[in-house]
Amino acid sequence: MRSLSVRGRTHSSPLYVIGGKKMDSRCHCLTNNDRVLNPILYNILSQMDSSMQSQDCLNYISVPHRCNCEVRRTLCLKSPSEICKEASAVLVKTVHFIKSLPAFNQLPLSDQFALLRSCWAPLFILGLAQEHVDFEVTDAPADSMLKKILLNRQESPEAKREQPTMAGVSKLKSCLKKFWSLDLSPKEYAYLKGTTIFNPDVPELKAGLFVEGLQQEAQHALREVVQLLHPGREERFARILLTASMLQGITPTLVTELFFRPVIGQADLLELLVDMLFYR
């Protein structure tokens, strides 16, 4: 842990390692009392009262303000061409898995669409874990000041979308590491995917009771295969379900922007999934 002294106070500064590189994630946002003044405004005020100037104060106020806190710091893939190709292959396998389930095809089309919208991202992450797809990230390039001026503050589609942040990527990588530590078998992954697809909590399902029964069957099958493959390890089933609950904390937007935006451009990924599932 390093420390940074700001006007007599000390702030802890944790280091994060991303892609083998140590990055300082401390937030440089200051409190209202320590707010950095606009340099131009400061110069104007300084001319009105030169007695208030000091060299130390000038040096401090001229420091550019940059926030590296987890909420705002945006990231992108370090090797997008390679990882996006692997991610696309996982997504295709995910869609084929859904199409191969007779019980899913028996549901009303509206229920199929609702379940797809709810489960595609968790299923994709399970696919990443099963295929052991690892990835590195780096800071996303920021638009230059000249570009912002020329655009006259007109927001591009990229600026309007929620961008991957350090906090979101950390959740995703933590989730993948948890699954890798469990070392699930293909059958365990298959039944866990079943419990994820058939989620009775999805709103406005016409066949909600049927979906609930399918989820219970998948959970029962998962418990049986866990007991068969790992006898005497009663806690493993609970650990699997607990790890699976982490999937709900990872947004579909993060998955889309991180793994597929470089490939699909402005297209809607959910519309592409619907096309793959129902029309191909």
Side-chain angles (χ1 to χ4, degrees):
M1 298 286 286
R2 298 185 294 113
S3 63
L4 174 67
S5 177
V6 178
R7 294 190 176 181
R9 293 180 298 177
T10 301
H11 298 263
S12 60
S13 173
L15 293 177
Y16 286 80
V17 178
I18 297 180
K21 180 180 178 181
K22 291 184 178 180
M23 294 184 175
D24 185 1
S25 67
R26 68 176 179 272
C27 178
H28 295 279
C29 294
L30 301 178
T31 62
N32 291 333
N33 293 333
D34 291 331
R35 186 174 299 160
V36 177
L37 297 176
N38 184 299
I40 298 177
L41 178 61
Y42 178 81
N43 290 334
I44 295 175
L45 295 176
S46 298
Q47 293 175 4
M48 298 173 61
D49 188 0
S50 60
S51 63
M52 297 178 61
Q53 295 186 23
S54 68
Q55 188 62 40
D56 291 339
C57 187
L58 282 171
N59 291 337
Y60 175 78
I61 294 177
S62 63
V63 174
H65 180 61
R66 180 184 180 186
C67 178
N68 285 333
C69 62
E70 291 191 4
V71 176
R72 298 183 182 181
R73 186 172 182 178
T74 57
L75 304 174
C76 62
L77 292 173
K78 192 173 183 180
S79 304
S81 58
E82 176 184 349
I83 301 302
C84 288
K85 183 178 180 180
E86 294 185 48
S88 298
V90 170
L91 189 64
V92 170
K93 290 182 179 180
T94 299
V95 174
H96 285 170
F97 178 82
I98 299 175
K99 293 176 70 172
S100 69
L101 299 175
F104 183 84
N105 297 318
Q106 293 173 8
L107 294 170
L109 284 178
S110 60
D111 286 7
Q112 292 183 37
F113 176 77
L115 292 176
L116 174 67
R117 182 174 53 194
S118 170
C119 77
W120 78 262
L123 285 181
F124 170 77
I125 298 170
L126 287 175
L128 290 181
Q130 186 174 9
E131 300 294 331
H132 285 267
V133 177
D134 200 1
F135 60 94
E136 295 182 353
V137 292
T138 185
D139 287 319
D143 290 338
S144 66
M145 184 59 67
L146 177 60
K147 181 178 180 180
K148 293 178 180 179
I149 294 174
L150 293 177
L151 290 176
N152 194 24
R153 295 186 298 177
Q154 295 180 359
E155 290 189 353
S156 62
E158 292 82 0
K160 295 180 181 179
R161 291 194 298 264
E162 178 185 344
Q163 300 300 310
T165 63
M166 178 182 290
V169 172
S170 296
K171 285 183 180 180
L172 174 57
K173 293 182 83 64
S174 177
C175 182
L176 291 175
K177 289 179 180 178
K178 286 283 188 179
F179 278 112
W180 292 334
S181 68
L182 289 172
D183 193 22
L184 301 181
S185 67
K187 285 188 176 180
E188 288 173 314
Y189 270 116
Y191 291 128
L192 182 57
K193 290 176 182 179
T195 67
T196 304
I197 294 173
F198 300 114
N199 179 11
D201 296 329
V202 173
E204 300 180 359
L205 290 178
K206 295 181 179 180
L209 291 178
F210 182 56
V211 170
E212 184 177 5
L214 293 173
Q215 186 183 65
Q216 291 175 354
E217 289 182 15
Q219 289 178 344
H220 181 71
L222 176 60
R223 182 188 291 273
E224 285 189 339
V225 76
V226 168
Q227 292 175 346
L228 178 64
L229 296 177
H230 305 275
R233 296 183 58 185
E234 300 295 334
E235 82 290 347
R236 181 174 174 83
F237 177 72
R239 287 182 59 197
I240 292 175
L241 293 184
L242 182 62
T243 303
S245 67
M246 299 175 63
L247 296 169
Q248 303 306 318
I250 304 168
T251 65
T253 301
L254 170 69
V255 173
T256 301
E257 298 301 320
L258 187 62
F259 295 105
F260 300 107
R261 189 58 61 195
V263 177
I264 66 175
Q266 303 301 322
D268 187 296
L269 182 58
L270 183 58
E271 291 182 1
L272 296 178
L273 290 175
V274 170
D275 182 60
M276 292 169 62
L277 185 61
F278 298 110
Y279 303 110
R280 294 184 184 180

